[in-house]
Amino acid sequence: MQKNRVVLSLAASFMLCANALAEDTVKLDTIEVSSTVANTQTVDAYKVNTRNAGLLKDVLRDIPGVYMGGTNGYNQKIYMRGMNDRALNITIDGARQKGNTFHHNADLLIDPAIIKAVDVGVGVHSVVGTSGAMGGSVAFKTVDASDLLEDGEIVGARINMGFASNNDEFSQGLTIYGSDEDRIFDALGYFNHRGYDFGKDGAGRAMGGDGDDYNYLLKLGVKTGDHGKLTGSYEHMEYKGIYPMKAEWPGGVDRNGKRILKDSKYTRDTFALNYDYNPNNYIDLNLNAYYTDHNLDMTKEDPSGINTGVKTWGIKAINKTNFQTGILDHTLVYGTEYYQTKAYNDSKSATSGNKFKTKTANDFGIKDDEVKSLSIFLEDQIRHGGLTFVPGIRFDKYELDTLGGKGSTYNASGKKLNGDIKGRSKYSWNEWSPALLLDYQTQFGLGGYISYAKLFRGPDVFEGIRINNVNATDTKYNEDLKPETGDTYEIGLRYSTDLSEVSSLSLSAKYFYTEYENLIGEFSTPSNPNAVRMNAGDARINGIELAAKFLYENLSLSASYSTQDTKYKNVPTVLSRGKKASGYGSGLAYSDIGDKITFNAEYFISSIDTFVGWNTIAFTSINEQKFEGEKGKVRKPGYAVHDIYATWVPNSGKFKGLEVNFGIYNIFDKTYASHSQRTLDFSSAEKSSIDFEEGRNVKFNVSYKF
């Protein structure tokens, strides 16, 4: 099982973690990307601070196989091996993030400043926790008080302030945490605010949003005996302000000198309860229960505007049992997960016709779309010497209760076919998904692996905005809906060695190949407002990911290369459009992404307790054929962006406890747009539909812990 582990340091978000080493250097905790099958990258955690990461792309975009774009909190998306965030398993403190409210918005709302760890699984190699994952998984974990308290300390606090020049952003944060002397109970309270104006791309055009981000986290922990801990938390994340209605298309910010904007609010509220219990080698148990509500509200200026959301609650239990059989060591991982997702629409404009504008979909008997998912899984990690063999199997039972489809009581004109209330369809699938991994590590630093996994993903609920009586009418496209499935294969090599007492080298290379079947598209057209959700063909995605890192005393050099290629097959024509369909409406990325190249150079100046660094991320141009049967090609120009940064963390003296970060990002004020965005053809599309990224940005942050 590959499990790329990104440990986002507490020092990066909350602590001034400077420890004196024998070589008279300062060591910050690290963001560590590691794996049981490939050690691909190691990134120092101070990068979270030096980048003043307001969006996750500032932190995760360097990882091979991971792509991030988006110029505001409404549209930041994670793409992984050709799949978007809806086809990835994304969790926050174990809570699944199923926030598909509106296809022009992203589903991920999170403040990087409170993250202590991120498990990034690039690709699927395991049956554990991967139900519904088509391209990989991302698990965020937030900080708690026990992580922040130093030895002998029972109470502490941290304040921080920051500024970013491109969008005149000011941020302020406060964290207070404490515990009793015996470390039985602990508590944490966190609040952070970011206020900003529209930013500018390299050509001076408006981008992003004009708003305020608010995040607060309350967390309580209690030890239950010597081997257990119970943790409960509540988190509220909010993006509030003036944004384009279609956040990924900045034509809503400035089109021919006219701004088309919405005063809106996008929120996430998450309750999570976690229990860990590890008394012996046979019981290493994690229990998790959660509830999350995503809500998009655009009714402040227009009461008939969008007010929709998605609610998800679930429970999960995973246990690990370690034992031996002869010369073999086993780690048995087994458990179950159940979750339920509902999409709702409280918009007064949710129903068609002027006479309906004062009522919501529920007023007309429109039920929420609902998904119920149960999975049971078993995996055995078998080891002998340098050999690891991991077979696994998962069973999924998936149920969908949705608008329209084969059970609809409405026809395409919106009239009742029978005397029933509203047209709905119910689907149910049972699926077995095996996985297999073989990994071998030699004593001289060379290792390799090969893996296979069967993929399964049931259809999501309709986006919240589509829960209305119009979309209860369409039987044509939903009648024979099938779940998304696939087969994914991967092979990799890695090598690490100490070149001397003060230098080391690590290399990794991966090749992956995935066949997807019955990808699901969801869309509508101006001529036909009915939502079309249908199996939109198959796809094949393959690619290569390379990474290298060299360390010499206080110098660190790293580089990576990623490329992928997507081929579409059996793509049907959408009759209401007269065009070919695609699976991107549900999970597939909008198009391929050019070859990604990253380079990072960092040096620690021990005499002044300061890190300095240079980062480059570049994409080659891409010119690919459109969907099968369509004429023309997709054209996206290449680009390269360069950043410099520095962080000062005094290790002793009167300034200990202070941390200062400074950086200049996009030094050369490059005008560029992420290849992962929705607009396909940069050469012919209107400039107003291209989400150009920010131009030069000077960031400064200072924090103090006491």
Side-chain angles (χ1 to χ4, degrees):
M1 175 182 67
Q2 180 184 15
K3 198 175 186 179
N4 286 347
R5 184 174 182 79
V6 184
V7 180
L8 296 182
S9 155
L10 302 180
S13 302
F14 295 92
M15 297 182 66
L16 308 172
C17 161
N19 300 318
L21 302 180
E23 296 82 9
D24 192 28
T25 66
V26 175
K27 179 184 178 183
L28 298 180
D29 288 350
T30 59
I31 302 175
E32 185 177 311
V33 181
S34 61
S35 170
T36 58
V37 295
N39 185 9
T40 59
Q41 184 178 354
T42 300
V43 182
D44 290 329
Y46 72 87
K47 184 175 294 185
V48 178
N49 273 9
T50 58
R51 289 182 178 275
N52 295 286
L55 298 176
L56 285 172
K57 67 178 182 179
D58 300 329
V59 181
L60 301 183
R61 67 177 189 167
D62 290 344
I63 300 173
V66 176
Y67 307 87
M68 290 202 70
T71 56
N72 60 58
Y74 275 50
N75 71 342
Q76 62 172 335
K77 293 185 179 183
I78 299 176
Y79 296 84
M80 195 178 292
R81 293 188 173 178
M83 307 303 287
N84 69 31
D85 49 359
R86 292 191 181 178
L88 308 176
N89 276 4
I90 299 180
T91 61
I92 300 175
D93 287 337
R96 279 185 178 254
Q97 302 301 294
K98 305 289 287 186
N100 46 331
T101 57
F102 184 31
H103 55 278
H104 287 287
N105 292 86
D107 305 331
L108 181 61
L109 285 72
I110 191 167
D111 177 7
I114 62 166
I115 298 171
K116 76 169 180 180
V118 186
D119 292 335
V120 179
V122 181
V124 180
H125 307 84
S126 169
V127 298
V128 178
T130 57
S131 176
M134 302 295 279
S137 58
V138 185
F140 297 96
K141 300 175 184 178
T142 62
V143 70
D144 57 49
S146 60
D147 299 312
L148 300 177
L149 290 167
E150 298 179 357
D151 292 340
E153 187 179 47
I154 62 172
V155 66
R158 179 181 183 268
I159 57 174
N160 65 274
M161 297 183 66
F163 172 75
S165 66
N166 185 275
N167 60 350
D168 293 330
E169 176 184 303
F170 286 91
S171 61
Q172 316 84 35
L174 172 65
T175 309
I176 300 174
Y177 46 92
S179 174
D180 64 298
E181 292 184 354
D182 297 325
R183 294 288 198 267
I184 302 299
F185 300 95
D186 61 67
L188 176 143
Y190 165 81
F191 174 81
N192 193 68
H193 166 258
R194 296 178 187 271
Y196 46 86
D197 200 346
F198 291 104
K200 294 181 179 180
D201 66 17
R205 290 172 294 230
M207 44 73 67
D210 178 359
D212 296 274
D213 300 348
Y214 298 95
N215 181 231
Y216 53 83
L217 171 69
L218 302 175
K219 186 173 283 192
L220 300 173
V222 57
K223 288 186 177 179
T224 57
D226 295 331
H227 308 290
K229 184 174 182 178
L230 179 66
T231 303
S233 65
Y234 166 64
E235 184 191 357
H236 175 81
M237 183 70 219
E238 176 180 316
Y239 299 106
K240 181 180 180 182
I242 308 297
Y243 300 91
M245 178 179 176
K246 299 178 179 180
E248 61 202 350
W249 285 338
V253 177
D254 196 345
R255 177 175 294 168
N256 298 324
K258 297 181 180 180
R259 293 189 172 187
I260 308 171
L261 302 164
K262 288 287 184 180
D263 192 337
S264 57
K265 182 169 65 173
Y266 201 9
T267 61
R268 172 181 61 85
D269 291 279
T270 297
F271 299 85
L273 189 65
N274 285 278
Y275 179 64
D276 294 292
Y277 184 62
N278 182 210
N280 52 51
N281 287 334
Y282 301 100
I283 301 177
D284 185 356
L285 178 66
N286 173 256
L287 301 176
N288 172 245
Y290 60 86
Y291 169 82
T292 291
D293 183 6
H294 289 80
N295 180 260
L296 175 63
D297 186 350
M298 295 184 177
T299 62
K300 184 175 181 180
E301 296 175 329
D302 179 6
S304 65
I306 295 172
N307 185 5
T308 184
V310 178
K311 298 178 180 179
T312 303
W313 70 269
I315 54 176
K316 181 170 54 180
I318 299 178
N319 189 55
K320 296 180 182 179
T321 297
N322 294 294
F323 62 96
Q324 289 183 313
T325 56
I327 61 173
L328 300 178
D329 295 320
H330 298 261
T331 299
L332 206 61
V333 185
Y334 49 96
T336 184
E337 179 183 11
Y338 175 84
Y339 71 87
Q340 181 174 312
T341 296
K342 285 188 177 183
Y344 63 90
N345 192 346
D346 293 333
S347 306
K348 293 182 180 179
S349 60
T351 51
S352 64
N354 293 334
K355 63 179 180 179
F356 295 148
K357 284 191 175 180
T358 59
K359 297 184 178 182
T360 67
N362 287 333
D363 293 329
F364 284 85
I366 303 296
K367 289 175 57 181
D368 300 335
D369 253 32
E370 183 179 60
V371 154
K372 297 178 181 179
S373 175
L374 172 67
S375 61
I376 303 171
F377 46 85
L378 172 65
E379 178 179 274
D380 191 5
Q381 302 171 11
I382 306 169
R383 293 175 299 276
H384 175 66
L387 180 66
T388 301
F389 177 61
V390 187
I393 187 74
R394 185 183 66 248
F395 171 75
D396 290 288
K397 181 176 180 59
Y398 194 91
E399 297 178 352
L400 171 67
D401 184 352
T402 184
L403 295 173
K406 60 184 179 182
S408 177
T409 57
Y410 271 60
N411 62 20
S413 66
K415 296 181 179 179
K416 290 184 180 180
L417 297 178
N418 302 310
D420 301 340
I421 299 178
K422 296 297 176 185
R424 303 192 65 80
S425 299
K426 292 186 178 181
Y427 302 86
S428 180
W429 297 279
N430 298 318
E431 188 80 11
W432 292 92
S433 301
L436 189 65
L437 168 71
L438 182 64
D439 181 274
Y440 186 70
Q441 178 65 44
T442 68
Q443 295 182 349
F444 53 86
L446 181 65
Y449 70 93
I450 187 170
S451 70
Y452 164 79
K454 184 73 175 178
L455 307 176
F456 168 79
R457 179 172 179 261
D460 280 335
V461 294
F462 264 127
E463 294 174 349
I465 194 174
R466 302 191 193 277
I467 307 299
N468 56 61
N469 70 326
V470 175
N471 291 334
T473 68
D474 203 325
T475 64
K476 182 184 302 181
Y477 294 105
N478 298 332
E479 187 170 1
D480 298 319
L481 197 62
K482 298 180 179 64
E484 297 177 327
T485 58
D487 297 279
T488 183
Y489 307 85
E490 186 170 330
I491 187 171
L493 292 173
R494 62 183 179 272
Y495 178 71
S496 61
T497 184
D498 291 329
L499 301 175
S500 68
E501 292 183 355
V502 295
S503 63
S504 63
L505 175 68
S506 60
L507 306 168
S508 71
K510 303 178 185 179
Y511 171 78
F512 67 90
Y513 178 91
T514 305
E515 290 274 1
Y516 295 107
E517 297 180 352
N518 300 316
L519 292 171
I520 296 172
E522 180 182 324
F523 30 69
S524 60
T525 66
S527 61
N528 181 2
N530 293 25
V532 175
R533 179 172 55 188
M534 61 182 291
N535 293 112
D538 309 329
R540 183 217 71 199
I541 301 178
N542 66 304
I544 297 172
E545 297 161 4
L546 309 175
K549 188 175 183 76
F550 172 73
L551 299 175
Y552 179 76
E553 293 185 341
N554 293 342
L555 175 67
S556 171
L557 302 175
S558 60
S560 70
Y561 170 80
S562 307
T563 186
Q564 65 184 38
D565 178 66
T566 302
K567 298 294 184 184
Y568 304 94
K569 301 186 298 180
N570 306 318
V571 181
T573 298
V574 181
L575 298 180
S576 62
R577 289 181 160 198
K579 296 182 179 181
K580 289 290 184 178
S582 74
Y584 71 71
S586 182
L588 202 63
Y590 299 124
S591 75
D592 266 340
I593 294 173
D595 299 353
K596 183 177 80 169
I597 303 165
T598 69
F599 173 75
N600 202 70
E602 300 168 345
Y603 186 75
F604 174 65
I605 308 172
S606 58
S607 60
I608 56 174
D609 293 340
T610 300
F611 280 98
V612 294
W614 175 285
N615 177 261
T616 294
I617 183 167
F619 284 84
T620 62
S621 62
I622 183 170
N623 191 15
E624 65 167 348
Q625 185 68 41
K626 291 185 178 180
F627 304 125
E628 181 184 39
E630 288 192 343
K631 296 181 179 180
K633 292 187 176 182
V634 172
R635 172 65 180 172
K636 294 186 178 181
Y639 64 87
V641 182
H642 311 275
D643 307 329
I644 58 172
Y645 48 87
T647 186
W648 177 52
V649 185
N651 190 45
S652 60
K654 61 182 179 180
F655 292 112
K656 186 175 182 180
L658 180 69
E659 180 175 347
V660 179
N661 295 285
F662 174 80
I664 305 176
Y665 306 93
N666 193 359
I667 300 171
F668 303 113
D669 206 19
K670 176 72 174 180
T671 301
Y672 73 101
S674 169
H675 285 189
S676 63
Q677 68 174 283
R678 185 180 182 121
T679 300
L680 297 181
D681 191 344
F682 286 18
S683 61
S684 64
E686 291 185 42
K687 297 298 183 183
S688 61
S689 67
I690 301 175
D691 194 14
F692 286 101
E693 301 278 332
E694 66 187 12
R696 184 182 299 113
N697 198 5
V698 179
K699 296 184 180 181
F700 177 81
N701 182 275
V702 59
S703 62
Y704 183 68
K705 179 177 179 291
F706 54 93

